[in-house]
Every structure is written in structure tokens, then in C-alpha cells.
Amino acid sequence: MNYVTDDTLNTYLRTVQPMYDGVLGEIQREAIAAEVPIIPLETARLLSVLLSMQKPKHILEIGTAVAFSAGLMCRYLPPDGTLTTIDRFEVMLQDARTNIKRMGLEHQIQLLEGDAADILPTLQGPYDVIFLDAAKGQYSNFLPHCLRLLPVGGLLIVDDVLQGGTIAQTRFSVPRRQRTIHKRLRNFLWDITHHEALETSIIPIGDGLALCYKKKEVSDPEKGE
Ligand code: SAM
């Protein structure tokens, strides 16, 4: 996993901030040991603060993995709140199903199995928070759906937006195989930072987190612009 901040700082941030308790903490430790790409602790702690402030009733997550971040976000839902999460990778889905049961969250989490590109157009929403943590190359394609599904006042949180910090380099200085993602991520970052309906901040934490607050309706809902 690539991180934007240096190893010493990461180690410090992961020492000073406690891991999560209960079954969620067990899932977090198991995922780290198995090198499953869950959000790092410092990103998780920021999510905890944001969700405490936002007080969502309905959350959408794109990229479940083993349901660590899904379980975490459920902690900030009211008893009748819901979390819908999407993944397409059967190996992850198996562990996600098991972990959702272990956490006793079957009543709150709806796990949608398939490609988000196919599932997003079928969702009605609204979702007060959308957490986008999937294939970076598709973020721009998912953005119009996220904007459609978010109400005004909703928060879109996007993980892994800084490509280990190489996003700041010219495309010719990143390895050739990473250039397509580099270009797509740069276009995505341009879109969310210049969108008339969004107030956006990009935070160099973990592998980069973008926070997009929807401040007004989009003028062209068809295009999400
Ligand atoms: N949010 C998780 C956490 O922190 O606990 C980690 C998610 S992991 C970084 C990304 C996940 O997104 C993987 O499990 C992958 O299978 C899934 N994914 C990537 N692209 C996807 C797509 N187009 N549709 C559905 N799932 C996708």
C-alpha cells in the first residue's frame, strides 16, 4: 500500500491513535495481517470524526473489501439507519458476508454484489454520505451517480486519490504502467475541485482523501454537471 506521508509519521499516527475495539478491531487486525487494502487507521479515525459530525441516516459505500470500513461507518448510524455497500470480487465478498454476521450487522448492511458501474445506475438514494473506495480509474465514471444520489448537504468521501504522492509529478516521470491512472485521477481531481455544486478539500492522509460537500443541486443531473 502506498501512503502519502512518511513511515515515521505513519507509525506515530498509528501509535497515538487507538485501534478500534470489539469485533471491528479484530477484523481490522486480521485485515492488516493479511494485507487486505482496508483504509489505514489514520483515515479511519478521520472518517469517525466526519461521520460523528455529519450524523448520516443512509450511507453508500463503493468498495466493501472485508467490510471493515462498512462496520466502522455503521457505528455512526442511528438504529434505523442503513448502509449499502458494493463489491465485485468474490474472495472479498465471502469475507465481507462472514464479517457482517460477526459484527451482528445483517439488519443494517445491504451488500450488493457486482460491478458498481452496473449497480450505481439502479440505485435511488438519497444517501447522506457516500464513501468511494474502489478502482481509481473509474472514479470519474462514478461521479455523476454519486452526485445524483447525494442530497444537498450530503458528503462524498473519496479514498486513494493521490497515488502514493506521485499525482504531484508529471505523467512522464511516473512509470508507464501507471500513466493512465495518473491521468484519470488528475482529471477526477480537477472535476471535483472545480464542480459548481461541490465544496472540495483534498487531504494528504493515507493515500489521499477527498472530501466533497454538496452545497447545491447540480444544473444538469443527466451529466452530473
Ligand atoms: N473500503 C474498504 C475498507 O476500507 O475496509 C476497502 C476497499 S478496497 C480498497 C477496494 C475494493 O473495491 C476491493 O474489494 C475491490 O474488489 C472493490 N472494487 C474495485 N472496483 C470495483 C467496482 N468497479 N465495482 C465494485 N467493487 C469494486
Side-chain angles (χ1 to χ4, degrees), residues 37-39 61 63-65 67-69 86-89 92 114-117 131 133-135 138 142 160:
I38 61 166
I39 45 169
E61 176 182 64
T64 319
F68 167 67
S69 53
I86 307 172
D87 210 293
R88 64 179 174 186
F89 188 25
M92 294 289 181
D115 197 308
F131 181 44
D133 186 18
Q138 286 181 282
F142 295 163
D160 293 336

Side-chain angles (χ1 to χ4, degrees), residues 1 3 27-29 31-32 36-40 65-66 68-69 133:
M1 185 102 64
Y3 297 108
I27 292 167
Q28 185 181 22
R29 285 185 179 82
I32 292 168
V36 175
I38 61 166
I39 45 169
V66 294
F68 167 67
S69 53
D133 186 18

